[in-house]
Amino acid sequence: KRSTMNESACKSAADTDHQELPAFWNKREVAHQLGVSVRTVDNLIQRKALPFCRLGGRLVRFPREAVLEHIRRHLTINARGQ
């Protein structure tokens, strides 16, 4: 069995209150949130730099809260002229 880096994040996202749907995002939605291409999301998956859940062979979903936390931890804002 091949395991992803965040089985606990996948389980906790699956257990969240259903009023906060969707608990999982697909590649296109994550790319939009990160402001990158879907190909960049594929690269982040290969590097295991982004929390994800593999559902079967090629189907990948991303726990929404884990991705938002990843963004909060890795977001840098560069101010110009300072």
Side-chain angles (χ1 to χ4, degrees):
K1 174 184 172 187
R2 192 177 354 163
S3 174
T4 62
M5 62 186 269
N6 283 349
E7 286 183 15
S8 62
C10 294
K11 180 168 175 15
S12 65
D15 292 340
T16 58
D17 185 6
H18 293 291
Q19 293 175 346
E20 296 182 16
L21 292 177
F24 292 92
W25 283 334
N26 61 33
K27 286 182 190 179
R28 183 178 44 80
E29 293 165 328
V30 170
H32 176 75
Q33 291 296 319
L34 296 176
V36 300
S37 69
V38 173
R39 180 66 186 140
T40 298
V41 173
D42 286 332
N43 290 337
L44 291 170
I45 291 170
Q46 283 185 326
R47 293 188 348 234
K48 298 192 185 328
L50 191 62
F52 67 94
C53 304
R54 190 170 299 276
L55 308 171
R58 296 179 60 172
L59 184 61
V60 175
R61 291 294 182 260
F62 303 85
R64 178 177 47 90
E65 289 303 319
V67 172
L68 292 174
E69 180 59 30
H70 176 82
I71 292 169
R72 284 189 282 273
R73 281 188 280 124
H74 293 89
L75 178 67
T76 58
I77 300 173
N78 296 321
R80 292 184 179 200
Q82 294 192 14

